Amino acid sequence: MNLHQLRFVREAVRQNYNLTDAAKALFTSQPGVSKAIIELEEELGVDIFTRHGKRIRGLTEPGRLVLQSVELIMQEIDSLKRIGKEYAAQDSGSFTIATTHTQARYTLPKVVQAFMVKFPKVRLSLLQGNPQQIAEMVQRDQADLCIATESIAGVTGLVTLPCYQWEHVVVVPPDHPLLRSKQPTLEEIAAFPIITYDGAFAGRSKIDHAFSLRGLKLDVLLEAIDADVIKTYVELGMGIGIIAGMAFDAERDKNLRAIPVGHLFGMNVSRVAVKQGAYLRSYIYTFIELLAPTLNRKLIEQAMSGEKDNYEL
């Protein structure tokens, strides 16, 4: 048994059981991957994969248990490598953050700027996607951490901690009739075409839920993943926008006005998530502290050790 065999098993599953794609991802040959997997099965005395002819189709029952062990072993190998790198260079290395567009555009710039002042030798990468995609990036070790709203809280294998609270705002042109209401009702909002986020982003589920509870039709004219896009179409007079409060800047958005609507859709919590059991380099702890000053290394380590339910905003 060797590490190459374990990597081949893991990558075969990640590539949806396509050995050609697995071989490409690992820069090796498809016959070599197939042979290594067969040799591992023979050594273990069980079939890891179900097959149709020469093609693998899925995991067997013992194969699922084998995969769990493989993931744990490979995670420990990765942790050993990170430990070596950290002590070889305390203030340099690579750091990959997976996040949504809203976080990358409106929350992270000042945090990233402060981080790079402290750690100028760190190579920082930002990956963007919807909450499910960025959570999978952390699960698959493609990113060190991810940042999104509550939707990442229940993802298997991740430890999540709250960073900060925010509420939605309705954005309208300066002469819009909704501005005459200090606290607009859902009925008043429902009277206008709505431009807001795609269903996977920025607390959209809370908006849908609020309208559903009142039996009101949500007339969504346009969905987008980018608040700037939403604001652009509001400025054109196509409807009213519902965006994250952090995405509105009175100085920058001079042609719009914002109406807080937390009383209708509730408060949202942005969270940071890391992989359970992962080894975090010291500068990753610093980044999290810059992102959420209420967090510190001790709290993060407690969460990593299984005490994550003891801390909320």
Side-chain angles (χ1 to χ4, degrees):
M1 188 182 304
N2 58 61
L3 290 177
H4 288 300
Q5 293 170 321
L6 305 185
R7 288 194 180 96
F8 293 162
V9 168
R10 182 175 66 172
E11 197 60 38
V13 175
R14 289 182 173 181
Q15 298 297 333
N16 200 26
Y17 308 108
N18 186 315
L19 293 186
T20 300
D21 289 346
K24 288 179 181 178
L26 295 171
F27 304 100
T28 187
S29 67
Q30 186 272 331
V33 172
S34 181
K35 180 182 177 183
I37 290 174
I38 290 172
E39 289 176 348
L40 178 60
E41 289 178 317
E42 290 175 349
E43 183 174 352
L44 295 176
V46 296
D47 288 336
I48 298 172
F49 297 102
T50 60
R51 289 173 170 81
H52 181 75
K54 293 184 178 181
R55 294 182 179 275
I56 63 173
R57 297 298 188 191
L59 287 167
T60 63
E61 185 61 34
R64 281 189 281 272
L65 298 175
V66 169
L67 179 64
Q68 291 176 13
S69 294
V70 167
E71 292 285 6
L72 289 173
I73 292 169
M74 298 311 299
Q75 183 170 307
E76 290 301 319
I77 294 295
D78 290 340
S79 292
L80 286 172
K81 291 179 179 178
R82 291 190 186 104
I83 291 169
K85 287 179 180 178
E86 170 147 353
Y87 282 91
Q90 292 282 346
D91 61 350
S92 64
S94 61
F95 179 24
T96 302
I97 301 164
T99 190
T100 61
H101 175 85
T102 298
Q103 303 290 339
R105 172 70 176 83
Y106 301 106
T107 302
L108 291 185
K110 290 183 178 179
V111 178
V112 168
Q113 184 180 39
F115 177 83
M116 295 309 297
V117 169
K118 287 179 174 289
F119 301 99
K121 296 179 182 179
V122 173
R123 298 185 303 277
L124 185 64
S125 299
L126 282 178
L127 304 178
Q128 293 183 46
N130 64 40
Q132 180 181 345
Q133 290 169 335
I134 64 174
E136 289 175 354
M137 291 176 192
V138 176
Q139 288 176 317
R140 296 182 176 185
D141 298 316
Q142 296 167 338
D144 296 293
L145 58 77
C146 63
I147 306 163
T149 50
E150 289 98 328
S151 53
I152 63 173
V155 177
T156 302
L158 298 188
V159 175
T160 66
L161 284 166
C163 296
Y164 57 88
Q165 291 183 318
W166 57 271
E167 64 179 328
H168 288 97
V169 297
V170 170
V171 288
V172 297
D175 57 351
H176 198 277
L178 274 181
L179 291 169
R180 294 194 287 268
S181 176
K182 290 185 178 180
Q183 282 199 330
T185 65
L186 283 176
E187 286 79 8
E188 289 174 321
I189 292 173
F192 300 94
I194 293 172
I195 305 167
T196 191
Y197 296 106
D198 174 86
F201 290 85
R204 169 64 188 276
S205 60
K206 287 193 172 183
I207 298 171
D208 293 343
H209 183 62
F211 277 88
S212 177
L213 283 179
R214 297 291 291 271
L216 295 171
K217 184 180 186 313
L218 183 62
D219 180 17
V220 178
L221 177 72
L222 176 68
E223 294 180 324
I225 65 172
D226 182 345
D228 287 339
V229 171
I230 295 171
K231 289 184 287 187
T232 296
Y233 284 93
V234 173
E235 287 181 342
L236 292 173
M238 295 181 63
I240 64 173
I242 304 177
I243 64 173
M246 71 191 82
F248 182 82
D249 185 308
E251 285 296 315
R252 185 178 60 236
D253 302 316
K254 292 182 179 179
N255 296 326
L256 296 172
R257 301 293 181 269
I259 307 169
V261 285
H263 64 288
L264 298 177
F265 305 126
M267 299 302 293
N268 298 271
V269 178
S270 286
R271 291 179 173 271
V272 60
V274 295
K275 189 173 182 180
Q276 178 75 56
Y279 176 75
L280 302 183
R281 301 186 70 170
S282 59
Y283 54 70
I284 296 179
Y285 286 104
T286 300
F287 177 86
I288 296 173
E289 291 169 0
L290 289 170
L291 175 68
T294 54
L295 298 176
N296 56 48
R297 183 163 185 156
K298 181 179 179 181
L299 283 171
I300 298 165
E301 289 177 340
Q302 286 176 348
M304 295 283 285
S305 68
E307 298 178 37
K308 59 179 180 290
D309 293 331
N310 295 338
Y311 182 74
E312 290 296 337
L313 287 176

